[in-house]
Amino acid sequence: MAGGGVELSVGVAGGGGAGGNGNNGGAGGAVETTEPISLGRLILSGMVAGGVQYGWALQLSLLTPYVQTLGLSHALTSFMWLCGPIAGMVVQPCVGLYSDRCTSKWGRRRPYILTGCVLICFAVVVIGFSADIGYALGDTKEECSLYHGSRWHAAIVYVLGFWLLDFSNNTVQGPARALMADLSGHHGPGTANSIFCSWMALGNILGYSSGSTNNWHKWFPFLKTRACCEACANLKGAFLVAVIFLSLCLVVTLVFAKEIPYKGNAALPTKANEPAEAEDTGPLAVLKGFKNLPTGMPSVLVVTGLTWLSWFPFILYDTDWMGREIYHGDPKGNDAQVEAFNQGVRAGAFGLLLNSIVLGFSSFLIEPMCRRVGPRVVWVTSNFLVCVAMAATALISFWSLKDFHGSVQRAITANSEIKAVCLVLFAFLGVPLAILYSVPFAVTAQLAATRGGGQGLCTGVLNISIVVPQVVIALGAGPWDELFGKGNIPAFGLASGFALVGGIAGLFLLPKISKRQFRSVSMGGGH
């Protein structure tokens, strides 16, 4: 279903929240207009995005490799990531709708942001200390440097913390994006979106920097215990710093993001002598909200789903790929293989750091590109770039394993040229990733602002089209790779195919607008 003729703007839409007018919030109530916000205050209001992304970067770069040291197999690690999609399907739409209708004196979004951040801090502490907790619950009493078997108590504690972390992340993400939509005001959607993406990029840079260092156990030697050796202590140190950084970002956002409380239905005009209709509450209200999605939203959901089918295999296995196929390590092998794997993981985290730097600079170029050629062309082009990159990833793996005879871990160590090419590939993917983080949300926010539906609800529904592909990949990637030698190459090859299909589908499904229409709406802030 193409939404032809819908006027779109890249960025977080300025209407629909506390800074919008009338009913744009989609909750049906009266919202007072905020005072014009300064650019500096708008920047500080989005700081929580950097704190959340710091922990998310650590989660992406370190946790898939780390959990394999506790006993989970490579195939089972993909199932562990099911918690994110489930949380996204359940939490984000509900939180989005409820934040649209929240009547707290603190505003619509900030209560949910505060709650989610407190839960994130608790979850990362549980993850960081999972090995120590497992030791206390009855795992092996052997020194961790000597024992390479399974530690199931630690693995269970870790997975529980991992699930809580994903639920908490989903509690914060939707309201944080909607908050920037509410406050963007006269600065326009492009500015608000660039600020939000820049904070995400900064969080990624700091998170991946923390993940790529091997010195946390040296700086804080007390982190090492009988159950927690160097790799575990490094993970623990990085996550404790994440708690401090997120707390700082949260305080800044709560202080500077001054929201006007939502008044509910009380101020809505009604038919003659009829009482105002009470708003629906509860989970059924989310389902009813689906009926009010703006025109053009179904096509955005379809293309978003295909786009994420192409991205999630890389997001899931990027550092594991570096440890296995490029550095030829094994998290359950002998000491040399474990060290090679850890070196690959750190190199992958450094590659993600480069990726985030490119993402940060690219985020400022997205709106000008969309004004010149339109958001549909930008989005479709990014899918074709991912198609080429994922195919290149598989080819690099074959290059690295060209002398492979037997298991991945017996292949000869890759040369420096292969490692350099991998880092270049990581950096290159920062461009389409910036588009992925920006354009779908921008299109959704603008549809909500111009066609109704509620910023929070529409963002939550968009997240469903992100998490459903994650369920598909989480369920299928592990067994799929198991069929082809327990490596990551098959998943990356499949990702290339999904990117190609997503690009072709985008040509026909995404809303088509003229450059003149786009410039006029974007410059006007989408109102």
Side-chain angles (χ1 to χ4, degrees), residues 134-191:
Y135 181 88
L137 292 176
D139 282 340
T140 179
K141 302 302 180 181
E142 287 189 54
E143 179 73 27
C144 55
S145 60
L146 302 176
Y147 180 77
H148 299 289
S150 299
R151 289 178 281 173
W152 291 109
H153 291 95
I156 292 172
V157 170
Y158 168 91
V159 171
L160 291 175
F162 189 94
W163 276 61
L164 178 60
L165 178 58
D166 263 353
F167 273 82
S168 306
N169 281 332
N170 279 280
T171 301
V172 177
Q173 287 171 349
R177 281 189 176 274
L179 178 66
M180 294 300 286
D182 297 344
L183 298 177
S184 58
H186 67 281
H187 297 290
T191 301

Side-chain angles (χ1 to χ4, degrees), residues 301-333:
L301 297 179
V302 170
V303 178
T304 299
L306 290 169
T307 302
W308 274 91
L309 280 172
S310 67
W311 266 102
F312 199 61
F314 185 77
I315 291 174
L316 181 61
Y317 288 129
D318 45 19
T319 55
D320 186 78
W321 170 66
M322 288 291 287
R324 288 178 180 271
E325 275 86 352
I326 306 304
Y327 278 72
H328 313 298
D330 181 359
K332 299 179 182 179

